[in-house]
Amino acid sequence: MKVKRFGVSLEENLLGRLDRLVEEKQFPNRSQAIRFLINKYIVEEKWESDDEVAGAIVLVYNHHKRDLQNKSTEVQHNYHDLILSVQHVHLNHDNCLETIAVKGSAKRLRALADKLISIKGIKHGELVMSTHE
Ligand code: NI
């Protein structure tokens, strides 16, 4: 893709904030930091609308919990058209980590994530929001 240059005027304190971000996140330069912020804004805006988006649902749970896996499987089947892949890792004797790659309307993906994360016994659950563009 063609890269275009443009000048940006910023107040000193805002420029200071930008440079702190560059340092904290270890961006190679200010351009990369500004690129990151614009893309982050676009992704968040898409997830607020009902556009088609992509992301991942991450779940950590104890597989000995009664019915947890049955319930999770049932919810996933109800939204099977959104699920691209499921990766299951046995973390240790008790705990499992599941990463579910998803693509579809933002509203339905949130609904799926909420239903999975709220299953009794899930220790940690998170929806990672991204885009496929
Ligand atoms: Ni497991």
Side-chain angles (χ1 to χ4, degrees):
M1 224 174 285
K2 204 175 163 208
V3 176
K4 291 203 173 186
R5 295 180 67 92
F6 69 102
V8 180
S9 307
L10 283 182
E11 287 75 13
E12 219 176 306
N13 60 343
L14 204 53
L15 185 61
R17 283 293 299 126
L18 181 66
D19 287 339
R20 269 221 302 284
L21 181 79
V22 169
E23 208 182 300
E24 281 166 16
K25 302 266 186 207
Q26 301 191 341
F27 289 118
N29 49 48
R30 287 171 176 165
S31 291
Q32 192 59 33
I34 289 171
R35 213 171 277 137
F36 166 83
L37 291 172
I38 294 170
N39 280 320
K40 187 171 148 65
Y41 175 80
I42 291 169
V43 166
E44 281 169 3
E45 205 181 37
K46 272 192 176 294
W47 278 85
E48 288 301 315
S49 72
D50 205 29
D51 287 2
E52 190 181 272
V53 289
I57 301 163
V58 180
L59 303 170
V60 174
Y61 59 86
N62 182 327
H63 70 95
H64 295 122
K65 286 269 179 200
R66 192 185 258 275
D67 275 348
L68 191 151
Q69 273 176 316
N70 282 340
K71 277 181 191 152
S72 172
T73 303
E74 199 186 315
V75 171
Q76 290 184 46
H77 275 273
N78 288 341
Y79 290 87
H80 64 89
D81 55 308
L82 301 178
I83 297 175
L84 301 170
S85 75
V86 182
Q87 185 191 48
H88 183 112
V89 178
H90 311 302
L91 287 177
N92 49 40
H93 183 74
D94 297 323
N95 295 306
C96 305
L97 169 74
E98 227 167 82
T99 309
I100 305 166
V102 290
K103 189 175 93 172
S105 89
K107 202 181 277 177
R108 292 189 66 225
L109 291 183
R110 273 187 192 279
L112 167 60
D114 288 345
K115 288 204 168 102
L116 288 172
I117 291 165
S118 64
I119 292 172
K120 201 177 164 204
I122 297 281
K123 288 185 171 177
H124 179 77
E126 207 169 308
L127 171 65
V128 180
M129 292 179 264
S130 191
T131 169
H132 53 78
E133 277 157 23

